[in-house]
Amino acid sequence: MKLCMIGTGYVGLVSGVCFSDLGNDVICVDHDNNKIKNLKKGIIPIYEPGLEELVLKNYNNKRLKFSTDLNDSISKSDIVFICVGTPTKKDGYSPDLSQIYNVAKEIKNSITKFKIIINKSTVPVTTGDEIEKIIAQKIPKKLFSIVSNPEFLKEGEAIRDFTYPDRVIIGTNDRKSNKILKNLYSPLISKGAEYVNTSRKAAELIKYASNAFLATKITFINELANLSEKLDVNIEDVSIGMGLDKRIGGRFLRAGPAYGGSCFPKDTKGIVNTADKLNIDLSVIKSVIKSNENRSSLLLKRVFDILKGKIKNKKICFLGVTFKANTDDMRDSSSLTMIPSLIKKGALINYFDPTGEKKEFENKKNVNFSKDINSAIKNSDLIIIHTEWNDFKSINFKKIVQNKKFRIFDMRNIYSSTKMKEQKIKYFAIGH
Ligand SMILES: NC(=O)c1ccc[n+]([C@@H]2O[C@H](COP(=O)([O-])OP(=O)(O)OC[C@H]3O[C@@H](n4cnc5c(N)ncnc54)[C@H](O)[C@@H]3O)[C@@H](O)[C@H]2O)c1
């Protein structure tokens, strides 16, 4: 099939590349000239394991194209996917849908024959209706069908998640579109993905609700970790013991820093915003948001305790600053709260991230980027393991760190506290 992905970010690029790898002709469009110019040269704008190889393979065999020309790309395609950003507005609460509506206005001017227009971006319920209204201002309804097909991939495992999804949700009452999309997704269905056809509004709500639920799981175990610390219980044992119950499941049940990234913070607020407008009190999700917002302060307090309140001039190293491992995404990472707070208290920060230096910390006084793990940790008083990259899992701290009184705060519980004790390393973990 001939597909057009509008927005070549984490979702648009990954799903576009994967669709092309399944044999479709795909044009990935973006209004960011630089991004498209680079992609044409084989320079990938994001870090995502396996993505570069797949882009090069499909670009070279000409199933995958890149363009800035929306009009032309839409006219050459049967199915158009909207994959643009839906960030939180400056009010810190409601979703900014301007990118979606701008694209809808552009699509309106590009349709001459029947198109299925799929919204893959995460949006409030009824956004599909709004997109339909905008396009119907110019185009007869028989020439287009608006479908919701939320994306569930996770950064860091995006290609695997796209290729082997648990489910494909297609929100449409239009039989013709449903049939075409079932066919488009048939390679994934044959590998075990459940295909679910719902109303458009249900599909939109499934995505918001799924993210809110996962954020709740993380927050739940993070709060239990606070309790475990007081009770001298290891939260890892609790996670395993709980997670083995199939009704609960072990994934997203690992204690750590505040959840971040481009989805959970914005989508929890987004669903509450929708509910508030309808006078429905989503009190569980509201308290998840509040608890998560307090999490970084709690962990900072732990840092103060570990350093016995003496932060000034302490050399603190962050291993990883993105919101999780295997991604370069800094959006809403807890390091963005923690590092500036520590600087304010007089700490000297050194950080290493496998995806390189971050513009968020460029030219920030007392924040230094190190090019490798050894030079990052060498002079540290405290090493904070902020993300769970494999690169951080077998470091010989004793050999590398020169200050023999160094401490480790492992926010991802990747080391064994028993082994650390045996080595006489002052090691602090989450939830025990
Ligand atoms: N990142 C994830 O892990 C993930 C997972 C599932 C769902 N989602 C959802 O998918 C959507 C996209 O997320 P993302 O992380 O890929 O965003 P992103 O910011 O990485 O990418 C969006 C892209 O859209 C482009 N764009 C915006 N307006 C455009 C226009 N008018 N014409 C052409 N290009 C335009 C931007 O330049 C950008 O490259 C969001 O709603 C997000 O919530 C994201």
Side-chain angles (χ1 to χ4, degrees):
M1 291 185 196
K2 294 189 189 315
L3 316 180
C4 165
M5 318 302 292
I6 306 178
T8 306
Y10 288 87
V11 167
L13 182 58
V14 170
S15 39
V17 170
C18 291
F19 274 133
S20 70
D21 205 52
L22 292 172
N24 301 287
D25 287 324
V26 181
I27 312 177
C28 286
V29 189
D30 207 285
H31 62 184
D32 182 336
N33 271 318
N34 238 352
K35 199 178 253 190
I36 295 300
K37 228 196 290 171
N38 280 335
L39 278 161
K40 285 180 176 172
K41 286 190 224 153
I43 302 169
I44 314 300
I46 53 173
Y47 176 85
E48 184 59 48
L51 185 61
E52 186 172 351
E53 298 86 308
L54 218 55
V55 168
L56 294 178
K57 175 184 156 200
N58 287 285
Y59 186 64
N60 289 337
N61 69 24
K62 301 202 167 36
R63 275 206 299 261
L64 179 65
K65 295 194 171 70
F66 297 107
S67 173
T68 50
D69 190 339
L70 194 77
N71 210 310
D72 177 60
S73 306
I74 292 175
S75 69
K76 286 178 179 152
S77 309
D78 309 311
I79 305 178
V80 176
F81 285 86
I82 302 175
C83 310
V84 295
T86 49
T88 303
K89 275 187 189 161
K90 283 208 174 80
D91 63 11
Y93 175 57
S94 49
D96 175 358
L97 300 175
S98 57
Q99 293 183 41
I100 296 272
Y101 296 144
N102 286 338
V103 166
K105 285 176 201 152
E106 293 192 60
I107 292 175
K108 173 177 85 173
N109 296 321
S110 314
I111 296 183
T112 49
K113 64 178 179 70
F114 181 78
K115 308 270 173 208
I116 300 178
I117 295 151
I118 299 182
N119 181 39
K120 244 194 188 314
S121 297
T122 305
V123 292
V125 179
T126 69
T127 304
D129 300 354
E130 296 302 318
I131 298 172
E132 190 171 79
K133 270 189 216 155
I134 293 172
I135 298 178
Q137 285 166 5
K138 189 163 174 190
I139 307 295
K141 279 198 177 161
K142 64 176 188 318
L143 274 193
F144 71 96
S145 159
I146 306 290
V147 177
S148 168
N149 169 216
E151 182 49 58
F152 298 98
L153 61 77
K154 290 184 298 305
E155 289 172 20
E157 292 173 73
I159 290 170
R160 200 209 70 87
D161 285 352
F162 185 89
T163 320
Y164 298 93
D166 294 330
R167 78 295 208 195
V168 173
I169 305 285
I170 297 293
T172 181
N173 295 327
D174 176 39
R175 280 191 181 178
K176 181 177 160 189
S177 303
N178 185 36
K179 200 172 160 204
I180 294 171
L181 292 174
K182 198 166 185 179
N183 188 29
L184 174 70
Y185 277 108
S186 59
L188 309 189
I189 299 166
S190 64
K191 282 191 244 169
E194 292 283 346
Y195 183 89
V196 182
N197 177 214
T198 66
S199 70
R200 193 162 66 204
K201 290 203 289 187
E204 290 169 338
L205 189 54
I206 286 168
K207 174 65 191 179
Y208 257 168
S210 301
N211 274 1
F213 191 80
L214 292 173
T216 304
K217 254 185 123 174
I218 295 173
T219 307
F220 180 89
I221 203 71
N222 279 346
E223 286 201 345
L224 275 197
N226 300 338
L227 179 64
S228 295
E229 275 161 32
K230 297 286 179 210
L231 295 173
D232 198 18
V233 168
N234 188 336
I235 192 66
E236 294 299 313
D237 294 341
V238 179
S239 291
I240 292 166
M242 283 178 68
L244 285 170
D245 183 332
K246 289 195 176 69
R247 293 169 302 176
I248 298 173
R251 298 181 74 195
F252 287 71
L253 205 63
R254 297 290 306 278
Y259 62 73
S262 64
C263 294
F264 291 174
K266 90 171 164 60
D267 297 342
T268 43
K269 287 176 195 154
I271 193 170
V272 165
N273 181 256
T274 297
D276 280 353
K277 283 186 197 154
L278 300 166
N279 284 324
I280 298 296
D281 184 18
L282 293 183
S283 62
V284 172
I285 305 173
K286 280 181 187 165
S287 65
V288 165
I289 295 170
K290 192 165 158 240
S291 173
N292 193 61
E293 284 173 353
N294 286 337
R295 180 111 190 113
S296 294
S297 316
L298 270 181
L299 295 189
L300 278 168
K301 190 177 168 300
R302 189 94 192 279
V303 173
F304 296 151
D305 292 346
I306 291 169
L307 289 172
K308 302 200 165 37
K310 291 178 188 146
I311 302 286
K312 204 167 165 48
N313 293 328
K314 283 284 182 306
K315 295 184 182 113
I316 302 180
C317 169
F318 271 70
L319 287 180
V321 288
T322 53
F323 81 98
K324 64 172 181 179
N326 299 318
T327 181
D328 58 349
D329 201 341
M330 284 295 288
R331 288 177 283 187
D332 270 321
S333 171
S334 59
S335 70
L336 295 171
T337 313
M338 300 185 81
I339 290 181
S341 296
L342 290 167
I343 297 282
K344 247 194 199 157
K345 300 267 178 201
L348 309 171
I349 305 289
N350 216 7
Y351 77 93
F352 168 74
D353 193 282
T355 59
E357 190 168 6
K358 300 297 161 202
K359 66 175 184 331
E360 289 79 357
F361 298 128
E362 249 172 29
N363 306 321
K364 281 259 178 326
K365 205 172 158 215
N366 295 331
V367 185
N368 174 56
F369 170 70
S370 295
K371 287 202 169 68
D372 57 68
I373 296 174
N374 288 16
S375 50
I377 65 174
K378 198 170 67 188
N379 296 314
S380 304
D381 297 304
L382 173 66
I383 296 154
I384 294 180
I385 302 174
H386 179 260
T387 56
E388 69 282 28
W389 285 84
N390 281 341
D391 313 41
F392 305 152
K393 287 183 180 164
S394 43
I395 301 172
N396 190 341
F397 292 102
K398 273 228 132 151
K399 198 169 157 204
I400 303 162
V401 187
Q402 288 171 357
N403 169 6
K404 293 303 161 212
K405 288 186 181 156
F406 76 94
R407 286 144 208 257
I408 296 173
F409 182 16
D410 181 357
M411 290 188 183
R412 300 289 179 169
N413 294 351
I414 59 181
Y415 283 90
S416 143
S417 45
T418 318
K419 283 190 185 150
M420 286 287 175
K421 223 183 222 165
E422 281 164 15
Q423 290 185 71
K424 298 195 169 47
I425 292 176
K426 290 203 170 78
Y427 173 80
F428 303 83
I430 296 274
H432 61 100

